[in-house]
Amino acid sequence: DSSLVGEGMWSSTPAGQVQTQVNLVLDISDAGNMLGRFGYPNTVKGGNGRLTANLSWLGTPDEFSYAILNGTLKLNTDKGRFLKMNQGAGKLLSVLSLQDLPKHISLGFTDVFSEGFQFDNINGNATIKNGVIETQDFHILGSSAKVTLKGNVDLNNETQNLRVRIFPAIGDSVSLIGLLAISPPVGIGLLLGNTLLGNPLDKMVSFEYNVSGTLNNPNVVRIK
């Protein structure tokens, strides 16, 4: 299901403090099975990819804690599905699955997220500073929607402050079905322009939310 390779160093800093550094590469062939082995069954189906982590903390290896954790994370996974999770199935998994969003919004996303969001790719980079994970370029791409996340998750206090933007994937269908039927030259031109310019049709119908509060009880506010 997965393969973990790592290396580490336990040393003294120039200031005379003890520091632990760990570099990890997790290659995933089946994310769902792997998470089941770690105590989170029925949270994800399928999924494969790689997680790279470069971590450090002041202290010996056994003095690890979120409060002193620093480093970087890089994730790139393909083709899987978030399943409908039970409460407490995994706080970070709940954040990524976005299944709490439909409880607070009424824009037709219930089936897309609460019943399990199917993704084609998840990728992003994040930094960790004293147990606070921050990202500015985290993306979840699916056939029904594209999602970007920016902000931070505090592992110490189990809180979050995220900006979530959802792009329903409608651009190609609008240009092909709607305009191609009316005027083939216009429809083809718009399809090419939509692709070359980064899918502006999708961006015109995007929805943005601020997600704050605790991981167990998020506060979701629509940004107009």
Side-chain angles (χ1 to χ4, degrees):
D1 302 322
S2 61
S3 173
L4 178 66
V5 177
E7 61 180 11
M9 181 181 299
W10 177 13
S11 61
S12 296
T13 68
Q17 297 174 301
V18 176
Q19 184 181 53
T20 300
Q21 294 176 289
V22 179
N23 301 318
L24 303 172
V25 176
L26 178 64
D27 284 312
I28 306 166
S29 58
D30 192 312
N33 288 345
M34 181 195 72
L35 290 168
R37 294 178 184 274
F38 282 103
Y40 302 105
N42 303 317
T43 53
V44 174
K45 181 178 181 180
N48 63 85
R50 170 173 286 189
L51 172 65
T52 304
N54 299 306
L55 308 173
S56 67
W57 60 91
L58 290 177
T60 61
D62 63 338
E63 291 176 324
F64 169 86
S65 73
Y66 289 141
I68 55 175
L69 179 63
N70 297 280
T72 61
L73 299 170
K74 181 178 180 64
L75 177 65
N76 191 1
T77 64
D78 293 322
K79 294 196 178 300
R81 184 184 184 94
F82 289 107
L83 302 179
K84 189 173 182 179
M85 301 180 194
N86 297 322
Q87 188 71 21
K91 295 183 176 65
L92 283 179
L93 285 173
S94 295
V95 172
L96 295 181
S97 71
L98 304 173
Q99 68 175 13
D100 284 318
L101 280 183
K103 300 176 184 178
H104 307 271
I105 60 180
S106 56
L107 292 171
F109 295 137
T110 301
D111 292 338
V112 173
F113 295 113
S114 63
E115 298 302 320
F117 182 41
Q118 186 167 340
F119 59 85
D120 296 322
N121 177 261
I122 300 176
N123 68 84
N125 297 279
T127 60
I128 308 175
K129 186 174 182 180
N130 297 327
V132 178
I133 303 176
E134 183 169 351
T135 182
Q136 295 297 319
D137 63 344
F138 198 91
H139 310 274
I140 305 175
L141 307 179
S143 57
S144 56
K146 304 172 186 177
V147 182
T148 64
L149 288 88
K150 295 182 179 181
N152 62 72
V153 174
D154 188 336
L155 299 176
N156 303 292
N157 300 308
E158 297 188 351
T159 58
Q160 59 194 324
N161 186 11
L162 297 169
R163 184 69 61 91
V164 180
R165 196 171 186 186
I166 302 172
F167 304 84
I170 67 168
D172 290 349
S173 63
V174 169
S175 59
L176 282 175
I177 298 175
L179 292 176
L180 194 58
I182 299 173
S183 173
V186 173
I188 294 172
L190 183 56
L191 173 61
L192 293 174
N194 189 48
T195 302
L196 294 174
L197 296 176
N199 297 317
L201 291 177
D202 288 353
K203 296 174 184 177
M204 287 173 63
V205 289
S206 64
F207 305 94
E208 196 164 1
Y209 304 89
N210 189 68
V211 183
S212 59
T214 65
L215 300 183
N216 283 330
N217 187 26
N219 179 34
V220 180
V221 177
R222 169 83 182 274
I223 300 172
K224 295 183 180 180

